[in-house]
Amino acid sequence: MTTRTKIAGAVLGAVVAGALAFVPLTDDGSAADGGGDGGGSLAAGPAQKEAVPSFTATDWVSYGDQVAVVRVTAEHELREPDEGADTDTAGAGEDYLARTVDLQVKERVWARSGAPALPSALSFTADGWQVKDGARKELGSPDSSRLEVGHTYVITLARFSGGAWAPLGSGGVLPYDHGRGGEGEFRGETVTSDAYRSAWEARAVPGDEAPVASRTAGKPSSAVREVLRGTRPDATAARYPGLDPVARYRRAAGGGSEPAETFCSVAAPLAVSEDSRYTPQELAAVLGDLAALAGRDAASLRAYAASLTAGDGTPAAADDAAREASVAGIERECGTDVGELLPTDV
């Protein structure tokens, strides 16, 4: 890219809300090119950390729920009721116009064990437009596809807090036109798989895990599946399958030496104030972890977890006596208000 206008878009850091945020691979805050010129019509967002890492296979299997081949079928402007230039984020005379995209799932490539079912069609917020003095300019990440209508992609998707599906992050969106990884739309341009691979290999850091983008360039989706099947998730993240990706990553990134888990630290996401979403199976998994750390309440926790797994997750199917005992035990031990302790995503 020869032209780079840096503005702070409204979607920065919005992965939690189901949007793609801007995240270059460089650590110095620069928007480094991945090789090649052109792309001057695309404005680049500034360097920001996303809520979840998304470039490597370890990232995908630790924090992603589903990987799919999708095709973008439509895009829509997303205007706020009282829109106008935000001088705190866009600069004088500049505005940000958000965009949503509609996707059709063409192939399901991989899913983590116990992952929620992926709908056949979905929509979410993607990079939009910079508007300055009435002129509109496409805005995108210097290290990711923009998601443009008519193009196909391999995307690692996750269901975030509140139930919204979205890409795990900018590193989890790969061009996939004509059934070849790295071929199609990247940074607002149409690229070949060879150029795409070269761009990523030029940034390789010895000793670091290579991104999925470079490992699967020029290959079919089955190669992505094999890479993921051969990758072990982060051990800490794997212990919290019931948490949304952001909460899982926060657990995994809690420090170089992980503190020992306690009954109350495992129970913390169940607090009403956390507004976490759980299917019956996900809630049962958390209750099973709690039972392993519990004393006198272990039997009640296991019984309630078993009823959730065996039933359909409705109040009628749950073991009410075990549920009430579990609520009492958690609140007694931790002082945490867990409400009725019923599944919140049924």
Side-chain angles (χ1 to χ4, degrees):
M1 298 183 196
T2 57
T3 303
R4 291 190 178 277
T5 305
K6 290 193 173 184
I7 71 169
V11 294
L12 291 178
V15 168
V16 179
L20 282 175
F22 307 117
V23 142
L25 291 180
T26 54
D27 294 325
D28 59 2
S30 62
D33 285 327
D37 237 354
S41 63
L42 184 69
Q48 295 283 335
K49 282 184 73 73
E50 291 179 312
V52 183
S54 61
F55 287 93
T56 68
T58 300
D59 297 334
W60 287 30
V61 300
S62 298
Y63 311 113
D65 290 319
Q66 299 267 2
V67 175
V69 175
V70 302
R71 186 169 181 82
V72 181
T73 58
E75 65 180 6
H76 313 277
E77 294 180 3
L78 184 60
R79 295 182 177 273
E80 298 297 330
D82 297 314
E83 65 176 55
D86 184 348
T87 56
D88 289 336
T89 58
E94 297 181 0
D95 196 7
Y96 177 76
L97 181 58
R99 179 177 67 115
T100 61
V101 290
D102 299 339
L103 292 84
Q104 188 71 37
V105 174
K106 311 300 289 185
E107 176 191 352
R108 289 168 171 80
V109 176
W110 173 90
R112 71 174 176 89
S113 178
L118 181 69
S120 59
L122 61 159
S123 301
F124 50 76
T125 306
D127 299 335
W129 298 273
Q130 170 193 352
V131 181
K132 184 175 182 179
D133 299 328
R136 179 185 297 188
K137 191 173 188 179
E138 292 179 345
L139 186 67
S141 165
D143 295 305
S144 184
S145 295
R146 189 172 179 272
L147 291 173
E148 296 188 340
V149 175
H151 287 280
T152 303
Y153 305 86
V154 171
I155 299 185
T156 177
L157 294 148
R159 190 169 65 177
F160 289 84
S161 177
W165 283 94
L168 189 63
S170 55
V173 180
L174 312 182
Y176 193 68
D177 286 354
H178 313 117
R180 288 169 57 88
E183 190 161 310
E185 184 271 315
F186 178 60
R187 304 188 307 182
E189 301 176 340
T190 300
V191 298
T192 65
S193 57
D194 288 340
Y196 184 77
R197 181 191 300 108
S198 297
W200 286 100
E201 290 179 347
R203 302 179 183 186
V205 178
D208 284 1
E209 182 181 352
V212 179
S214 62
R215 296 177 67 181
T216 60
K219 300 177 181 179
S221 59
S222 58
V224 176
R225 181 183 299 112
E226 291 308 307
V227 166
L228 299 179
R229 284 178 174 175
T231 303
R232 294 178 64 87
D234 176 271
T236 304
R239 289 206 294 272
Y240 298 96
L243 300 184
D244 86 296
V246 177
R248 252 180 285 153
Y249 176 59
R250 287 173 179 167
R251 292 277 184 177
S257 57
E258 183 190 349
E261 292 294 350
T262 66
F263 182 88
C264 292
S265 69
V266 174
L270 298 176
V272 172
S273 60
E274 291 294 320
D275 194 29
S276 299
R277 310 294 297 177
Y278 294 96
T279 64
Q281 292 74 22
E282 290 167 344
L283 179 57
V286 176
L287 293 169
D289 289 342
L290 286 172
L293 297 168
R296 56 176 171 165
D297 299 306
S300 297
L301 289 161
R302 289 195 184 96
Y304 181 36
S307 73
L308 290 172
T309 303
D312 59 7
T314 64
D319 183 334
D320 277 339
R323 177 180 61 80
E324 291 171 1
S326 298
V327 170
I330 294 172
E331 294 185 345
R332 181 184 65 251
E333 292 295 323
C334 308
T336 302
D337 178 9
V338 294
E340 296 184 339
L341 201 59
L342 289 167
T344 51
D345 190 355
V346 294

